[in-house]
């Protein structure tokens, strides 16, 4: 068994995330899911050297998308990392069909970014959404609007609304190249829906 106790926090978080997401893939393709949280962490690392925030970035989907609980995360990584992962995790309302809760979940995220998120949480959200927008932009180039069939929300205009609202909520980060790239990708993908 690999001993992880003595490793720095990011390395421990990456191993934990790899185990939690083991065998899962991105929507609609065979790309290992772990590529997304690793890319998210790399984007956060371009904005800050805060090791706990970078670790939270690689862990950001473990509570939302796996069986890992926030209390387990708190036990392994401490309160601050759990706080950032919790802030980035949607309440998926698993008892309801995901397509029926999509807009409510996205609005909750936007509201949090506008009023409840600190700068670290905003950096994490920007990195997550930029990673997603990179993937969306690549897939739009390859398969066009068939892309939206992969998602619970099939209406491209609704995705455009959400990504534009996030850009506005994160505008205080506009000095970072990550925000500039995100804003550019949102406009490129959704410009015809303006």
């Amino acid at each position: 068994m690999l001993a992880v106790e003595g490793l720095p926090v990011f390395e421990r978080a990456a191993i934990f995330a790899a185990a939690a997401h083991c065998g899962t893939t991105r929507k609609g393709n065979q790309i290992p899911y772990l590529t997304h949280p690793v890319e998210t962490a790399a984007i956060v690392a371009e904005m800050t050297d805060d090791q706990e925030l970078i670790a939270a970035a690689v862990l950001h989907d473990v509570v939302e998308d796996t069986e890992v609980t926030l209390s387990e995360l708190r036990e392994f990584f401490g309160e601050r990392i759990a706080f950032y992962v919790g802030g980035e995790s949607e309440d998926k309302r698993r008892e309801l069909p995901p397509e029926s809760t999509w807009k409510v979940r996205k609005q909750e995220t936007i509201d949090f970014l506008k009023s409840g998120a600190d700068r670290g949480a905003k950096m994490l959200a920007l990195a997550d959404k930029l990673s997603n927008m990179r993937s969306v932009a690549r897939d739009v180039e390859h398969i066009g609007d068939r892309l939206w069939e992969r998602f619970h929300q099939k209406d491209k205009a609704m995705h455009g609304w959400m990504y534009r609202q996030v850009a506005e909520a994160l505008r205080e980060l506009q000095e970072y190249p990550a925000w500039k790239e995100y804003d550019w990708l949102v406009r490129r993908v959704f410009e015809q829906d303006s």
Side-chain angles (χ1 to χ4, degrees):
M1 177 69 181
L2 180 64
V4 297
E5 304 85 43
L7 294 177
V9 67
F10 175 76
E11 284 78 358
R12 285 187 290 118
I15 292 166
F16 190 96
H21 293 296
C22 185
T24 60
T25 58
R26 296 281 283 172
K27 282 183 182 159
N29 58 49
Q30 294 304 306
I31 297 170
Y33 190 82
L34 187 62
T35 61
H36 167 62
V38 167
E39 181 179 27
T40 300
I43 295 166
V44 168
E46 292 171 5
M47 293 184 278
T48 182
D49 61 0
D50 180 334
Q51 295 301 299
E52 288 187 329
L53 189 58
I54 298 166
V58 82
L59 293 164
H60 81 272
D61 276 337
V62 298
V63 171
E64 185 175 315
D65 292 337
T66 76
E67 299 301 313
V68 174
T69 67
L70 208 51
S71 61
E72 289 172 320
L73 211 59
R74 194 174 290 112
E75 177 186 337
F76 284 105
F77 295 101
E79 188 61 43
R80 186 165 180 258
I81 289 173
F83 168 78
Y84 282 122
V85 173
E88 185 66 10
S89 300
E90 287 185 350
D91 176 359
K92 290 223 174 168
R93 297 165 174 87
R94 297 191 195 282
E95 71 282 359
L96 298 170
E99 56 277 2
S100 73
T101 64
W102 186 90
K103 186 164 186 185
V104 170
R105 291 182 284 119
K106 303 312 174 192
Q107 187 64 60
E108 288 170 349
T109 296
I110 293 161
D111 292 345
F112 170 70
L113 293 174
K114 286 181 176 177
S115 62
D118 68 10
R119 194 165 176 86
K122 289 181 179 185
M123 286 179 177
L124 178 51
L126 173 58
D128 176 27
K129 297 300 187 259
L130 174 54
S131 175
N132 286 336
M133 272 309 303
R134 287 174 176 174
S135 179
V136 164
R138 280 190 304 267
D139 289 347
V140 163
E141 288 292 319
H142 293 305
I143 64 171
D145 283 345
R146 291 187 326 230
L147 163 70
W148 310 109
E149 293 303 312
R150 292 179 182 169
F151 300 103
H152 297 298
Q153 172 55 259
K154 312 269 186 243
D155 184 351
K156 177 183 177 182
M158 292 302 294
H159 287 272
W161 162 81
M162 184 268 300
Y163 281 114
R164 284 187 197 100
Q165 291 292 307
V166 168
E168 283 308 307
L170 299 175
R171 187 170 286 282
E172 76 177 63
L173 302 177
Q174 66 185 337
E175 76 269 16
Y176 292 105
W179 188 90
K180 291 175 175 73
E181 180 185 356
Y182 175 75
D183 184 58
W184 179 79
L185 285 170
V186 169
R187 285 185 284 109
R188 183 173 140 215
V189 170
F190 299 107
E191 67 185 11
Q192 65 273 18
D193 299 326
S194 297

